[in-house]
Amino acid sequence: MKKLVKKIGVITSGGDAPGMNAAIRSVVRTCAFYNVTCVGFNRGYAGIIEGDYQIMDARSVRGIINKGGTILKTARSKAFRTVEGRKKANQKLQEIGIDSLVVIGGDGSFTGALILNQEFNFPVMGIPGTIDNDIFGTTHTIGYDTALNTVVEVIDKIRDTASSHNRLFFVEVMGRDVGHIALNAGVAGGAEEILIPEEDLGLDRLLESLKRSKKSGRSSSIVVVSEGDKIGKNVFELKDYVEKNMTEYEVRVSVLGHMQRGGSPSCFDRVLASRMGVKAVESLLDGKTNYMVGLKNDIIQLTPLNQAIKGKSEINMELLRVSDIMTT
Ligand code: F6P
């Protein structure tokens, strides 16, 4: 017999991502559509443990679809990593009368949700919100498209100054331990080389490629480096290494950092977040738990949470081939 779901909690957890507010808005409005109370907890799992929450009605999320960040704030809760902390969280959820929880975040946040279910049988549903796009079970996580557009815009700007000074730039981008942002933004930005964790180019091949570029008449170059790249040197060491071994270039470094996490979400991310929020709430109302909503072949589908957590988000090999050809 399906338990009647009358009150749904929602949190944002882990690194923030543009589009999280659109997802919150969709969860809240879908709850309102089905006459279900929606409770927003602040600062992720920490807010649940501390009972830091507010009731959210359809009006409480007006004017946020275009805002980056998350109105519910986010955090990585150390307390929730302890059994004690999770016990407190479950007690608080029961006390407030929450029937199910929507967790908007990445794999770390989903791991917490799964443990909450395993230890207390609490119904949970995941919405993938991270700029890294490193979650199995969806071709796109919320925030990824916006981050790509931000990075491409910056690469275009860096190219102006690189070409004015005949310089080589190493541009480091986020992505933790996957190269989706570097590969896609690198191809779109016309980067001469792209260094990603999934493919170890090696220092010699990098030098050869840069020398070939120079010989072919390129007066400036941009090398996009994923922060998780495994070439063995960080971008500053790469600068020193190339300057030492390639006197033709003046070399500079640009580490893009947290700006990639900000900005108004793209149309794609707003629509994706709106679709995912509806699916997440309707799945909980349907008595489902321990799933993540994801986009596959442009259809919003459910993936078991443990698969989303354990699975690997593979790099697009066809795009890797495109990037090799484009950097000829
Ligand atoms: O997971 C999103 C992300 O931006 C990664 O790309 C990056 O490595 C990490 O978060 C940075 O974490 P923090 O915001 O805690 O510095």
Side-chain angles (χ1 to χ4, degrees), residues 64 119 177 218 248:
I64 67 167
E119 290 175 348
D177 45 19
R218 276 199 177 96
E248 306 94 310

Side-chain angles (χ1 to χ4, degrees), residues 76 130-132 174-176 227 258 261:
R76 295 183 170 98
T130 167
I131 65 165
D132 298 349
M174 283 185 160
R176 217 167 26 173
E227 64 176 338
H258 286 70
R261 294 249 288 266

Side-chain angles (χ1 to χ4, degrees), residues 82 240 311:
T82 66
D240 297 341

Side-chain angles (χ1 to χ4, degrees), residues 11 24 28 30 75 84 97 102 120 127 129 142 164 166 187 192 200 204 213 225 250 266 291 294 312 316 319 324:
I11 61 168
I24 294 167
V28 172
T30 308
E84 265 326 294
V102 175
F120 305 101
I127 294 180
I142 295 169
S164 303
N166 291 344
V187 169
E192 277 66 34
D200 181 6
D204 297 343
S213 284
V225 186
E250 256 195 310
S266 64
Y291 285 99
K312 209 160 156 20
N316 181 328
L319 181 57
D324 288 342

Side-chain angles (χ1 to χ4, degrees), residues 41 45-51 79-80 82-96 116 119-120:
F41 290 91
Y45 292 110
I48 298 178
I49 293 171
E50 296 160 22
F80 194 76
T82 66
V83 178
E84 265 326 294
R86 291 192 294 269
K87 254 196 207 131
K88 280 195 197 130
N90 183 58
Q91 276 159 2
K92 197 52 85 176
L93 290 165
Q94 304 303 334
E95 203 181 285
I96 304 166
L116 186 69
E119 290 175 348
F120 305 101

Side-chain angles (χ1 to χ4, degrees), residues 212-224:
R212 206 173 39 244
S213 284
K214 191 77 181 163
K215 216 177 274 161
S216 72
R218 276 199 177 96
S219 57
S220 63
S221 279
I222 287 184
V223 178
V224 175

